[in-house]
Amino acid sequence: MKKILLSIAAVSAVAAAVPAVASAQAYGYDRGPDRGYDRGYDQDYGRDRLARLDERIDRGVRSGGLTRNEAWRLKGELRETARLEARYRRGGLNGWEREDLDRRYDRISAQIRYERHDRDYGYGRRY
């Protein structure tokens, strides 16, 4: 009887350890070639991100979430960042420049989000 209980306990301990080992994978947190700052900063990535942010500003003006002055200021910052990106690309992008561009685009994205939800509605819209 003792042998049977010990073998059942050993099998159950092994069976409990296998799923724990299998679930120790870090899904989505690996730093492969398409994650992090090695996202392949080719010409298309910068243009796509610039176009998406510009479209968000336009949608904010159309919906009334952004005033024309806010949109004008945000588009100016976007143009300035695009010029900086073009200047960085002349000599090839290094890691620091990629991180700097990411920070700048993230900051503009956060500013768009803030300005669209600050209850400072466009001309003629009062709530």
Side-chain angles (χ1 to χ4, degrees):
M1 185 78 173
K2 252 186 186 180
K3 288 182 182 180
I4 293 173
L5 287 175
L6 286 175
S7 62
I8 290 174
V11 169
S12 65
V14 170
V18 170
V21 171
S23 68
Q25 298 173 6
Y27 290 105
Y29 294 105
D30 60 335
R31 289 294 208 197
D34 59 343
R35 303 229 187 252
Y37 293 116
D38 308 357
R39 282 191 275 235
Y41 250 85
D42 54 354
Q43 295 287 347
D44 294 337
Y45 177 76
R47 286 186 195 136
D48 290 344
R49 188 156 186 193
L50 184 71
R52 283 193 311 267
L53 290 172
D54 191 44
E55 176 59 30
R56 283 180 58 201
I57 294 171
D58 290 341
R59 270 186 292 165
V61 171
R62 282 194 305 269
S63 71
L66 288 176
T67 64
R68 293 194 189 277
N69 287 338
E70 290 170 342
W72 183 75
R73 185 179 48 77
L74 289 167
K75 284 195 179 225
E77 290 182 24
L78 203 56
R79 277 190 307 271
E80 184 180 319
T81 304
R83 273 191 229 115
L84 180 67
E85 182 176 2
R87 197 171 9 163
Y88 281 168
R89 285 187 187 282
R90 286 187 199 132
L93 288 173
N94 61 27
W96 181 87
E97 292 168 340
R98 280 186 233 130
E99 290 174 14
D100 183 42
L101 288 172
D102 259 346
R103 277 192 305 268
R104 288 173 187 263
Y105 282 129
D106 288 343
R107 186 174 51 86
I108 292 171
S109 178
Q111 285 176 336
I112 293 169
R113 184 174 38 255
Y114 173 77
E115 294 292 347
R116 285 187 72 183
H117 299 287
D118 67 349
R119 297 183 182 265
D120 184 17
Y121 298 106
Y123 177 75
R125 298 189 66 160
R126 295 178 189 229
Y127 294 106

